[in-house]
Amino acid sequence: MSENVALPPSQNDVRPKYTESPNPGFVYGRKVAETPEGEAWVDGERAGWKTVDGATEDPARMYALMISGIVPRPIAFVASVSEDGVENLAPFSWFNQVTHNPPLISVSCSARPEGGLKDTASNIKATRGFTVNIISEPFVENANVTSLDAPAEVSEWPLTGLTKEPSTHVKAARVKESAFSMECELFQSVDIIHPTNGKHTATLILGLVKCIHVRQDVLNERGVVDYAKLRPVARLGDITYARVGDGFRLPRPSWKIEGEKIGEFLKGIEQGKSEAAL
């Protein structure tokens, strides 16, 4: 989509809700095309495929393709402090949780085009402590301004209008307006080296979560976050963000409960193969 296209106003009163899954009548082995929506989806393959070679594709094109296809991506709004005390704030959508025990998160920071670490990776390697704050819809513009390519000696905090809240375990502040913030300590950093040209292209940061600050008003009756109350934003391709839409409830199958039924289904498949071979 062109950046110059006129867009309708944001519907800020839209709230997500929980619904059934798209195909609640699913049974084991059912083909995707057996539902009207699934049939239309499978029919899209008639347009053919484009295959992209990761070794030869232009890195800028590979970047654009990957961030458009790996969606939606959660955003780590990372606050860090340099050795000289400059406080940095920046968003990263190459982010996720790694494990809950010990509680670890990952943030990938690409290197500068001219080479060298970006401020966030440099700060975390030097001072080790940082915070990861989840961005909610009401302050997404505030957070987006920190994607500015400001010089290392310039702090993004004053530009945002956001509030610094002192952390309890690390030097870096957390964003008070964020309803879910994690204080983290560097667990491990991994320099990503290009296998062909040997260039340092990114740094993977693994952060040990020392504590979580979560607002009471975004918790449900079970004491965990209700995404409809948190209203997190995600990244899509190019400069596009997204709000989270309706969530559908889809239980994870249990072999203890479903094993016998699955066994009968698989037995039926084998029996059909045997009969077809006769």
Side-chain angles (χ1 to χ4, degrees):
M1 175 181 290
S2 170
E3 296 180 32
N4 298 319
V5 173
L7 300 173
S10 174
Q11 294 180 292
N12 294 335
D13 58 344
V14 172
R15 296 293 184 272
K17 59 183 179 296
Y18 291 95
T19 71
E20 285 188 329
S21 65
N23 181 20
F26 174 81
V27 294
Y28 295 119
R30 174 174 287 174
K31 300 296 184 182
V32 174
E34 290 182 26
T35 67
E37 185 179 13
E39 183 179 17
W41 175 258
V42 171
D43 190 58
E45 188 178 3
R46 293 186 181 187
W49 292 85
K50 175 182 179 179
T51 301
V52 178
D53 189 331
T56 59
E57 182 62 76
D58 176 71
R61 288 295 305 159
M62 182 62 75
Y63 170 82
L65 182 60
M66 289 181 71
I67 67 168
S68 68
I70 304 173
V71 292
R73 299 188 305 283
I75 304 168
F77 195 25
V78 180
S80 61
V81 183
S82 73
E83 285 187 299
D84 296 328
V86 179
E87 296 177 283
N88 180 270
L89 196 56
F92 293 87
S93 66
W94 302 72
F95 154 67
N96 220 311
Q97 56 192 353
V98 177
T99 176
H100 70 285
N101 185 26
L104 291 177
I105 56 92
S106 66
V107 180
S108 180
C109 307
S110 59
R112 295 184 181 279
E114 67 276 15
L117 298 175
K118 287 186 176 178
D119 296 341
T120 297
S122 177
N123 293 349
I124 293 173
K125 279 191 167 187
T127 61
R128 304 188 65 81
F130 61 104
T131 67
V132 172
N133 308 271
I134 298 303
I135 302 170
S136 295
E137 286 183 52
F139 64 94
V140 64
E141 284 88 358
N142 306 68
N144 183 64
V145 300
T146 67
S147 58
L148 177 74
D149 55 344
E153 66 274 12
V154 175
S155 173
E156 294 82 3
W157 275 96
L159 306 177
T160 68
L162 296 171
T163 309
K164 286 188 283 188
E165 183 72 9
S167 295
T168 56
H169 293 273
V170 299
K171 187 175 181 180
R174 62 185 176 91
V175 176
K176 188 176 183 181
E177 287 79 4
S178 174
F180 189 95
S181 297
M182 296 173 283
E183 294 187 29
C184 303
E185 182 180 84
L186 178 62
F187 182 80
Q188 185 178 356
S189 66
V190 181
D191 290 337
I192 307 300
I193 307 301
H194 194 286
T196 302
N197 59 32
K199 291 183 179 179
H200 175 201
T201 59
T203 299
L204 177 64
I205 300 291
L206 297 182
L208 178 66
V209 179
K210 303 296 288 185
C211 74
I212 296 174
H213 302 275
V214 56
R215 266 177 26 184
Q216 296 277 7
D217 65 334
V218 301
L219 299 177
N220 64 17
E221 65 281 357
R222 294 184 291 114
V224 296
V225 174
D226 182 338
Y227 85 96
K229 297 176 180 178
L230 181 62
R231 298 172 64 193
V233 294
R235 277 303 305 267
L236 304 179
D238 58 68
I239 61 170
T240 306
Y241 286 79
R243 60 167 51 100
V244 181
D246 293 346
F248 48 83
R249 308 285 286 172
L250 197 56
R252 180 182 300 179
S254 164
W255 185 267
K256 184 176 181 180
I257 297 172
E258 298 289 322
E260 185 176 346
K261 185 188 298 185
I262 292 172
E264 290 300 318
F265 169 73
L266 296 176
K267 187 185 297 182
I269 291 178
E270 292 302 316
Q271 184 176 346
K273 288 180 180 178
S274 298
E275 292 175 353
L278 296 177

